[in-house]
Structure formats: C-alpha cells, structure tokens
C-alpha cells in the first residue's frame, strides 16, 4: 500500500514483501477475522462494506462466507490485489487516501481499516478519518485495528515495519475519532480466539498474564486496570452519528 509521495515510502513499498504485511494463510487468520467480522459488521447482508488496505482479501472472504453480498476492498500493492482477484473478490488497486477522498458521500455502511492507520502520519490519519466519516452513512460503522502503544511489547509492533509511522492507545484513538466527528467508540484487546485445544490453552495463559499486568498497573497507577488493554494490537469500533450533518 503506497501512501503519499515521500521518497522513502516509495522505495520501501516498492519492495514490500507479503510477510512484512503480515499476510499469511487464511486458515490461520480465519478465527480472528471471524471475530472481527462479528464485532464490527452487525449489519444487513446487503450492506455496503469496504475494506481499506485489504491485502490479499482474507477479510473479504470471511465476510462473503457470512453472507454479505456487497463487499469490496482497495489496496495499492499489485501482488496483493492480484491474489484477491484470483480468489474472485472485488478489489481495486489504488492509493487508499486518494481512493477514499474520491468516494461518494454517505455511501458505505461499514468501513474497515485493518492494520492501516499506523502507516500514516497524524495529519494523514485525520484526513482518512475525515473522509471515512463523510463516506459512511449516518449511523455507519468504522472498524480500526492498530498497534497498541499501551502494550509492554508496543515497540515490537511499532518498529517491526519501517513503514509504520505511529502506534495508538485507547485515548489517542478517541481523540482522532472525536476530531473527525465520530463517537468515542469502543476498544477491544486482541485476546486469543478459542477454536481448539491449543488456542484454549493460550487463552487461559493470556488471562493469567493479564492478571499479572493488571497487578503491576495497579501498583503504579492505583487503578485496577480492568479496562486497560495490554495486547500488542487493539481493535476499535466507532460510529458516525445518526444525524447527517454533511450529507
């Protein structure tokens, strides 16, 4: 996904490898993507759903499995777009910021930005959210997945990819959402999804580890940490207000 015209970006994205993007076999990602779809896309089957930075279309395939008929994606990586199209998905090759800026008003019911915002500067992130607010119908949903700066391993995700510009916390996402006219939204931890014995073991161990992190949190802050998010990434869901101010 090439964004902007900064030279270093052009050079990095020109040689962007699928493994850097995190694109892996769908079967391995499916449990988490199904949970994401369940949390963020509680809409009618005919609803318009757009996946920004869709990569190889893994999420689009999950949405199609759930019966959604009007799903599409956009990505600037020719190789990833080719993979999505080979799977029979509706994907456009385009700069995400430019494509969203040119999209019609009050058109989509759901916009997903999965591992996208971290590739932008603060001003570009706000531009993307401004356009997402305009493109969404009143009451429409925005789903965002980003690196979590509150994690003890936040630097691992933030600096694992040279194209990353920033990481986020619940508070900084709320600032961006409100600045663009969205509701404050709700944030979720990236906990293991139980779909078998080993994933169940991971879920149990995660709960234990989270308890220890909450204990440390309470020592330092005096807060119980019940609402804290400790996973390396976080999922946020917000909505455009029902009133159509700009339509």
């Amino acid at each position: 996904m090439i964004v902007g015209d900064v030279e270093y970006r052009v050079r990095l994205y020109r040689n962007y490898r699928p493994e850097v993007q995190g694109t892996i076999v769908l079967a391995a990602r499916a449990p988490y993507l199904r949970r994401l779809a369940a949390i963020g896309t509680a809409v009618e089957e005919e609803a318009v759903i757009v996946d920004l930075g869709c990569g190889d279309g893994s999420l689009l395939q999950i949405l199609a499995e759930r019966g959604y008929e009007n799903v599409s994606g956009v990505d600037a990586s020719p190789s990833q777009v080719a993979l999505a199209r080979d799977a029979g998905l509706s994907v456009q090759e385009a700069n995400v910021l430019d494509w969203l800026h040119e999209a019609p008003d009050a058109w989509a019911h759901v916009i997903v930005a999965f591992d996208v915002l971290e590739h932008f500067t603060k001003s570009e992130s706000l531009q993307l959210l401004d356009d997402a607010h305009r493109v969404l119908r009143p009451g429409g949903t925005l789903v965002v997945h980003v690196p979590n700066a509150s994690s003890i391993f936040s630097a691992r995700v933030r600096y694992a990819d040279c194209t990353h510009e920033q990481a986020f916390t619940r508070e900084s996402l709320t600032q961006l959402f409100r600045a663009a006219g969205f509701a404050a939204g709700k944030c979720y931890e990236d906990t293991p999804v139980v779909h078998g014995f080993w994933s169940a073991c991971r879920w149990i161990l995660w709960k234990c580890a989270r308890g220890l992190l909450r204990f440390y949190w309470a020592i330092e802050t005096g807060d119980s940490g019940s609402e804290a998010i400790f996973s390396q990434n976080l999922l946020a869901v917000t909505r455009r207000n029902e009133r159509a101010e700009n339509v």
Side-chain angles (χ1 to χ4, degrees):
M1 179 177 61
I2 299 178
V3 291
D5 56 357
V6 181
E7 175 59 24
Y8 84 88
R9 286 178 169 177
V10 174
R11 293 180 61 186
L12 287 170
Y13 282 116
R14 184 184 300 134
N15 299 297
Y16 210 47
R17 303 186 306 277
E19 60 266 33
V20 172
Q21 288 179 286
T23 300
I24 54 179
V25 179
L26 176 59
R29 305 180 70 190
Y32 180 80
L33 293 178
R34 290 194 178 99
R35 180 171 68 179
L36 182 153
I39 292 174
T41 60
V43 290
E44 301 295 328
E45 290 183 354
E46 63 271 15
V48 176
I49 304 177
V50 181
D51 185 8
L52 303 178
C54 64
D56 62 3
S58 295
L59 178 59
L60 296 177
Q61 292 185 59
I62 296 296
L63 292 171
E65 287 180 6
R66 291 175 62 86
Y68 293 111
E69 303 169 354
N70 198 357
V71 297
S72 61
V74 56
D75 200 283
S77 168
S79 60
Q80 295 293 281
V81 170
L83 287 172
R85 289 176 175 170
D86 287 344
L89 301 169
S90 175
V91 175
Q92 296 186 47
E93 182 183 334
N95 178 301
V96 168
L97 283 177
D98 292 343
W99 183 90
L100 190 61
H101 189 67
E102 296 169 3
D105 294 353
W107 165 62
H109 294 87
V110 179
I111 293 177
V112 180
F114 191 94
D115 295 346
V116 170
L117 276 183
E118 62 267 29
H119 295 270
F120 296 99
T121 63
K122 293 176 182 177
S123 60
E124 289 168 335
S125 297
L126 191 55
Q127 176 190 332
L128 185 148
L129 292 179
D130 282 340
D131 280 323
H133 186 274
R134 175 185 56 80
V135 171
L136 281 169
R137 301 187 183 198
T141 301
L142 175 67
V143 183
V144 173
H145 185 268
V146 292
N148 175 28
S150 295
S151 166
I152 61 172
F153 296 111
S154 60
R156 173 189 174 276
V157 181
R158 167 64 177 84
Y159 295 105
D161 187 340
C162 285
T163 64
H164 286 176
E165 297 286 347
Q166 54 184 325
F168 300 86
T169 64
R170 181 206 307 271
E171 293 78 13
S172 63
L173 277 178
T174 298
Q175 283 183 300
L176 282 174
F177 289 158
R178 286 178 170 164
F182 287 98
K186 184 172 183 179
C187 295
Y188 302 85
E189 280 187 325
D190 261 359
T191 58
V193 180
V194 178
H195 58 281
F197 175 77
W198 291 114
S199 59
C201 291
R202 289 179 57 227
W203 184 86
I204 293 171
L205 291 171
W206 165 257
K207 289 296 183 180
C208 295
R210 191 179 193 285
L212 293 173
L213 290 170
R214 283 186 60 187
F215 180 67
Y216 173 85
W217 184 282
I219 292 173
E220 181 173 350
T221 68
D223 178 79
S224 69
S226 60
E227 299 298 320
I229 296 178
F230 298 112
S231 55
Q232 295 181 50
N233 294 283
L234 65 86
L235 180 69
V237 180
T238 186
R239 294 185 184 277
R240 175 178 171 172
N241 293 327
E242 292 285 350
R243 186 165 63 89
E245 301 95 334
N246 300 318
V247 178

